[in-house]
């Protein structure tokens, strides 16, 4: 089986963890501080990093530090992982869902603009599948309506939009180091920001509201990253450029291999003009198909030794967790591209361990699986 995700961990990561265990400084120590500095220098120049225990925590802390609270509205996509909207609700705010661009799968700035009301305080563009959202358009939207921008960069380590690093444009940004991400710390997250005020607030929030022990300045949380995780993250950071180059090579090869087979109805992903994606997922669309056909293709891929996944089969605005939101927030009739993508997309393996031979296997399996279910997806 060619897995859809494969964390690349080895002896160097093991040695880094062993060194932390031997040193005895386990939580929010020198490894965390070094990871914060190195990550920003390498991936998000011009910002400061605040390491936390997950990508969801990073998004939650970033929103809180940006001033988002009870009664505020925050425009988010629905075609994303649930954590994007969950973090908004954990602030006491209301996620208002807007539609996506059907090509990039990222939040559509025009749809986001239509969702803005007098109560809107922020917008969260998600750099989905490693493709950057249109940050220029979101900056213009934020300037027009006096909004905060909190980038959800959980899947986009090292991506750029028109020469600017993802994570360096918004008021604050959130990265994830979950095992399946483009780099991992085992588990963890990072807030990046150029604002000294937001930075200090994030540092207080992650550590029970205190900078000095027993001097709690605000009500905070326990979102600290351990030095064990930071040590893994520092090793992975040194390997990130190689990981990204491998993903880009594989994405190019997959596109060529699938196109060469002229598989009926399969649309390969493309990068928008000015976008430099990092291919967290390689997401194909089965045009004119529904979820039943897509799921049958997924099963057919599995039988042929290709691990694949559906990200995301249920849009967030249709999840039971958010059924209590007002209709004005759910905006179910205004999200046609979201619903269509959720029923048609399929992610193929694109991680650094995928070989040239694997690419041919994947393309052959996709072609056979699609033709098996009726000749046209």
């Amino acid at each position: 089986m060619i897995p859809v995700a494969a964390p690349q961990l080895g002896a160097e990561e093991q040695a880094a963890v062993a060194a932390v265990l031997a040193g005895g400084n386990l939580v929010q120590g020198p490894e965390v501080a070094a990871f914060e500095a190195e990550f920003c220098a390498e991936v998000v120049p011009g910002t400061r990093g605040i390491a936390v225990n997950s990508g969801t925590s990073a998004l939650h802390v970033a929103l809180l530090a940006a001033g988002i609270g009870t009664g505020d509205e925050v425009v988010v996509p629905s075609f994303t992982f649930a954590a994007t909207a969950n973090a908004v609700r954990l602030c006491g705010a209301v996620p208002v869902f807007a539609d996506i661009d059907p090509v990039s799968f990222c939040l559509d700035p025009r749809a986001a603009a239509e969702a803005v009301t007098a109560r809107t305080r922020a917008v969260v563009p998600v750099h989905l599948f490693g493709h950057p959202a249109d940050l220029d358009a979101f900056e213009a939207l934020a300037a027009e309506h006096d909004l905060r921008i909190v980038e959800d960069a959980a899947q986009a380590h090292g991506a750029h939009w028109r020469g600017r690093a993802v994570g360096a444009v918004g008021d604050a940004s959130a990265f994830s180091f979950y095992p399946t991400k483009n780099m991992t710390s085992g588990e963890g997250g990072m807030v990046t920001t150029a604002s000294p005020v937001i930075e200090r607030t994030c540092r207080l929030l992650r550590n029970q509201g205190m900078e000095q022990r027993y001097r709690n300045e605000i009500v905070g949380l326990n979102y600290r990253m351990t030095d064990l995780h930071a040590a893994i993250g520092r090793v992975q950071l040194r390997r990130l450029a190689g990981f990204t180059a491998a993903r880009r090579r594989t994405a190019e090869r997959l596109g060529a291999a699938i196109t060469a087979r002229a598989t009926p109805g399969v649309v390969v992903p493309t990068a928008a003009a000015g976008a430099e994606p990092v291919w967290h997922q390689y997401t194909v669309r089965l045009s004119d198909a529904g979820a039943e056909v897509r799921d049958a293709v997924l099963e057919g891929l599995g039988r042929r030794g290709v691990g694949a996944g559906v990200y995301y089969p249920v849009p967030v605005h249709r999840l039971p967790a958010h059924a209590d939101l007002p209709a004005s927030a759910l905006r179910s009739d205004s999200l046609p591209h979201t619903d269509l993508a959720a029923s048609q997309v399929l992610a193929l393996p694109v991680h650094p361990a995928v070989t040239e031979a694997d690419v041919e296997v994947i393309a052959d399996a996709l072609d056979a699986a699609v033709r098996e279910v009726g000749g046209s997806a």
Side-chain angles (χ1 to χ4, degrees):
M1 178 68 71
I2 303 170
V4 71
Q8 304 296 296
L9 298 165
E12 195 174 354
E13 286 87 354
Q14 294 177 26
V17 170
V20 172
L21 291 173
N25 198 335
L26 300 184
V27 179
Q28 205 170 286
E31 290 290 330
V32 169
F35 185 33
E36 291 172 337
E38 291 165 3
F39 182 81
C40 289
E42 179 70 23
V43 179
V44 201
T47 68
R48 297 289 299 274
I50 304 94
V52 292
N53 59 3
S54 74
T56 304
S57 297
L59 194 55
H60 187 202
V61 164
L63 287 162
L64 288 172
I68 305 307
T70 302
D72 293 336
E73 290 183 355
V74 179
V75 179
V76 301
S78 180
F79 191 60
T80 182
F81 185 54
T84 306
N86 290 350
V88 173
R89 299 205 70 180
L90 288 170
C91 294
V94 177
V96 177
F97 297 101
D99 212 359
I100 57 169
D101 175 270
V103 177
S104 71
F105 302 116
C106 295
L107 181 64
D108 185 340
R110 291 167 297 184
E114 293 173 358
V116 172
T117 73
R119 294 181 295 277
T120 306
R121 290 286 308 282
V123 59
V124 181
V126 179
H127 305 299
L128 199 68
F129 306 143
H131 189 291
D134 185 344
L135 290 170
D136 293 331
F138 285 111
E139 281 188 302
L141 178 65
E144 180 180 356
H145 296 282
D146 190 26
L147 305 178
R148 296 283 200 172
I149 299 174
V150 176
E151 298 177 62
D152 185 336
Q155 302 177 354
H157 316 66
H160 287 74
W161 175 257
R162 294 183 179 173
R164 295 193 292 174
V166 158
V169 176
D171 296 276
S173 304
F175 291 84
S176 171
F177 305 120
Y178 186 72
T180 59
K181 296 299 190 287
N182 291 35
M183 61 168 286
T184 185
S185 61
E187 179 65 285
M190 186 83 71
V191 180
T192 61
T193 182
S195 164
V197 174
I198 290 178
E199 179 196 354
R200 185 169 189 274
T201 304
C202 286
R203 294 193 185 282
L204 291 172
L205 285 167
R206 75 168 175 187
N207 190 34
Q208 304 288 8
M210 59 184 180
E211 193 169 48
Q212 298 180 33
R213 197 174 186 186
Y214 303 132
R215 295 293 183 91
N216 304 73
E217 300 177 39
I218 62 174
V219 176
L221 301 151
N222 178 2
Y223 281 174
R224 294 185 294 264
M225 176 180 276
T226 72
D227 272 36
L228 297 166
H229 291 96
I232 296 171
R234 293 182 70 196
V235 174
Q236 288 273 296
L237 182 60
R238 295 194 289 270
R239 303 173 66 188
L240 179 61
F243 290 163
T244 301
R247 286 177 178 273
R248 285 173 171 161
R249 285 194 302 270
T250 297
E252 184 176 356
R253 289 167 179 162
L254 275 170
I258 294 169
T259 300
R261 285 157 177 78
T263 306
V266 175
V267 180
V268 298
T270 58
E276 298 175 45
V278 291
W279 301 106
H280 173 64
Q281 302 288 355
Y282 188 85
T283 302
V284 300
R285 183 191 286 271
L286 308 184
S287 62
D288 301 323
E292 289 186 7
V293 170
R294 187 269 317 279
D295 292 347
V297 171
L298 179 70
E299 192 271 337
L301 283 166
R303 284 190 283 106
R304 292 170 172 86
V306 175
V310 177
Y311 308 98
Y312 300 91
V314 182
V316 179
H317 74 285
R318 298 195 182 280
L319 292 172
H322 301 291
D324 61 322
L325 287 173
S328 59
L330 295 172
R331 305 178 74 250
S332 298
D333 294 334
S334 304
L335 307 172
H337 293 306
T338 294
D339 282 324
L340 191 61
S343 69
Q344 292 184 335
V345 301
L346 190 69
L348 301 172
V350 74
H351 53 79
V354 175
T355 66
E356 288 190 60
D358 290 337
V359 167
E360 298 302 316
V361 171
I362 293 166
D364 281 341
L366 178 64
D367 186 64
V370 168
R371 295 180 190 278
E372 181 180 56
V373 299
S376 176

